[in-house]
Amino acid sequence: MPDFEPLYTADEMRAAEAGHDVDTLMERAGALAAEAGLQEMHGLETWSVVVGGGANGGDGRIMARHLEAKGKQVRIVDAKAGERDLGDPDVIVDALFGTGFSGEPRADAAALIDRINRSNARVFAIDVPSGIDASTGEKPGAAVEADATVTFHGRKVGVVVAPGRFHAGRVHVADIGLDPRDTEHRLVLPEILRTVPHRGDRDNKYTAGHVLVVGGSPGLSGAPSLTASAALRADAGYVTVAAREAVLPVLEQRLVEAVKRPLPDKLGDKAVDAVLELAAKASAVALGPGLGRDEGAKTLVRRLLAELELPLVVDADALFELEPGDWPAPRVLTPHEGELKRLLGHDVAERRLAAVREAAERFNCVVVLKGADTLVAAPGRGVLVSAHGQPSLATAGTGDVLTGIVAAFLAKGMEPQRAAAAAAAAQQRASVLAPQRAGLVASDLIEALPRALGG
């Protein structure tokens, strides 16, 4: 089984379709769209099919023909001819724009999209919801809010990456007979977890992966605790936590299996020396959970980034005022949208794919943009997208858990982009397996990690 699924851009779809008869492809697409629509909207009788002037509109007209053949009442709304009356259908089919659309819809199209969104009908989109950029997931203006989308040959980037993913609803992939192709961006499949090294007969606690967690300050002891526990449950053989001395009594109570080592309460060069000594026995480091943002913490982060010759996960407070550098070993940054906005100096929510790629190039390392669709970028490579988790992941502490998992996988010797993608998949799998849905807390994920990893 593959570890990744192709995610197609508009250009990649054009390349896949090259040399094929357009009319034949449209006939297949329209028929399969009708099949998926009838499956998704089972029992609904009246359908309005909103068609544009391009190939997407052609797919919609063919779909309408097949719906009528199944006895459905169908109205075609020709947007190019200026028709705007949607009627009062059970289902509206969005065949307005296709994968080639980009930019902001014109005023008349935006008004029609608004009518679709304000209707009481279920909405079924063909290939990608109109107004969403198929290649990026961006939404420059008005966009259809679909309950379901049928997309042809393979998933488009735009139905997986936010904000587009939130407009697509349930996605059906219809095979129209094209050959598979390599794509720049790929969807991470749960099968990637099979590639995570497990402890073998010849391993000891050190060779199974030794993670050093550097973080923790008064009032912020929970973050390094979650990171350390997650690293252990992600199969690291040994975890050491280096924290300010004032925090150690709390960590002693919360962490049984991890080794605790004190750092001066006033961080700085002495703390750096202590961490470098501890790191001599480690195989990966997690830096930042609960660390604080005082000048001593900034000195610690700056020097460790520059001097540690180990894979390093940089999260939370360690991301604050981070500057690009010439790193001596792999670095993995794990920001959420707010942290990435600070790092880049501009908003990222509407341009997630572009933003994470920009960050990877600027900081010359792997960057993990957390979210419902977690994006993992590396310099000069396509983005890996992990998008199989539950909404319950949106709770405090889950970022600390992810940091621990990434550090454990790096400690096992995994390549950094793959390690980060597998860690995101493991956390998302744990969110599915954890008994709580509403009310899930970060520690619930930690308990579910062994099952998520097949342990």
Side-chain angles (χ1 to χ4, degrees):
M1 293 289 289
D3 301 333
F4 304 103
E5 177 184 326
L7 293 176
Y8 287 84
T9 64
D11 286 344
E12 288 165 344
M13 273 305 300
R14 280 191 285 271
E17 292 168 351
H20 292 265
D21 181 71
V22 173
D23 291 338
T24 300
L25 291 180
M26 287 179 62
E27 282 293 335
R28 291 174 187 164
L32 290 168
E35 183 180 311
L38 291 169
Q39 175 187 337
E40 184 68 36
M41 309 297 179
H42 180 71
L44 299 183
E45 298 300 320
T46 57
W47 298 62
S48 289
V49 183
V50 182
V51 300
N56 197 245
D59 294 340
R61 291 178 184 277
I62 295 168
M63 178 182 179
R65 190 178 76 228
H66 284 272
L67 290 172
E68 287 181 328
K70 293 292 185 179
K72 303 301 179 182
Q73 301 174 41
V74 180
R75 172 200 294 246
I76 292 179
V77 180
D78 189 340
K80 188 176 182 180
E83 296 179 10
R84 294 292 180 268
D85 184 5
L86 299 175
D88 186 24
D90 298 322
V91 183
I92 295 175
V93 175
D94 165 29
L96 187 57
F97 304 141
T99 56
F101 173 84
S102 62
E104 186 174 353
R106 296 193 304 268
D108 56 343
L112 183 55
I113 288 170
D114 183 60
R115 284 192 177 93
I116 294 172
N117 290 341
R118 287 190 290 107
S119 75
N120 294 320
R122 303 285 302 282
V123 179
F124 185 80
I126 293 182
D127 225 2
V128 66
S130 293
I132 296 298
D133 191 312
S135 300
T136 65
E138 293 175 16
K139 182 179 78 76
V144 167
E145 297 172 1
D147 297 290
T149 299
V150 61
T151 195
F152 304 120
H153 180 54
R155 295 178 202 271
K156 312 305 180 291
V157 175
V159 301
V160 177
V161 174
R165 69 177 280 109
F166 300 127
H167 286 254
R170 193 197 326 268
V171 177
H172 300 255
V173 179
D175 180 2
I176 56 173
L178 302 176
D179 293 331
R181 298 177 61 92
D182 290 333
T183 57
E184 183 178 20
H185 311 304
R186 294 173 292 166
L187 180 67
V188 178
L189 299 178
E191 284 74 17
I192 194 174
L193 298 178
R194 297 174 309 155
T195 70
V196 176
H198 286 225
R199 295 177 221 175
D201 292 340
R202 298 185 181 184
D203 275 320
N204 58 47
K205 60 188 177 184
Y206 298 108
T207 62
H210 179 181
V211 173
L212 172 62
V213 179
V214 182
S217 55
L220 298 172
S221 61
S225 298
L226 290 168
T227 299
S229 296
L232 286 164
R233 289 296 191 185
D235 204 43
Y238 198 97
V239 173
T240 301
V241 181
R244 300 182 200 234
E245 192 165 11
V247 180
L248 282 190
V250 178
L251 297 180
E252 291 284 9
Q253 294 294 318
R254 299 193 62 157
L255 295 171
V256 176
E257 295 88 357
V259 175
K260 280 74 66 178
R261 291 291 181 260
L263 298 178
D265 287 331
K266 186 175 181 180
L267 298 178
D269 291 332
K270 288 186 177 179
V272 173
D273 292 340
V275 172
L276 291 175
E277 183 178 348
L278 291 169
K281 295 183 179 179
S283 41
V285 176
L287 175 63
L291 183 66
R293 298 180 181 177
D294 54 64
E295 288 304 316
K298 294 176 186 177
T299 297
L300 179 74
V301 170
R302 186 168 54 250
R303 283 196 56 193
L304 292 180
L305 281 167
E307 298 177 34
L308 265 178
E309 297 184 1
L310 289 175
L312 182 61
V313 189
V314 187
D315 187 32
D317 291 332
L319 293 168
F320 189 68
E321 297 183 356
L322 184 68
E323 295 290 339
D326 185 14
W327 318 124
R331 302 308 186 227
V332 178
L333 314 186
T334 58
H336 54 59
E337 283 186 359
E339 291 165 334
L340 190 59
K341 178 181 179 180
R342 278 199 306 270
L343 289 173
L344 296 179
H346 60 74
D347 189 40
V348 305
E350 294 296 321
R351 302 184 69 243
R352 285 173 57 83
L353 191 71
V356 74
R357 301 190 81 180
E358 177 187 348
E361 295 298 333
R362 179 181 299 186
F363 291 94
N364 192 31
C365 65
V366 171
V367 178
V368 181
L369 177 54
K370 294 178 284 197
D373 52 314
T374 293
L375 309 183
V376 184
R381 301 190 207 169
V383 174
L384 303 179
V385 183
S386 188
H388 300 290
Q390 296 289 316
S392 52
L393 279 171
T395 187
T398 54
D400 303 310
V401 171
L402 181 63
T403 296
I405 305 171
V406 176
F409 291 176
L410 288 173
K412 291 174 175 293
M414 293 187 73
E415 184 275 326
Q417 189 181 24
R418 176 175 279 269
Q427 185 187 55
Q428 291 171 353
R429 179 64 179 155
S431 76
V432 174
L433 295 174
Q436 291 84 0
R437 293 294 182 266
L440 179 139
V441 295
S443 55
D444 296 329
L445 298 174
I446 295 171
E447 295 303 314
L449 274 174
R451 283 187 293 146
L453 293 171

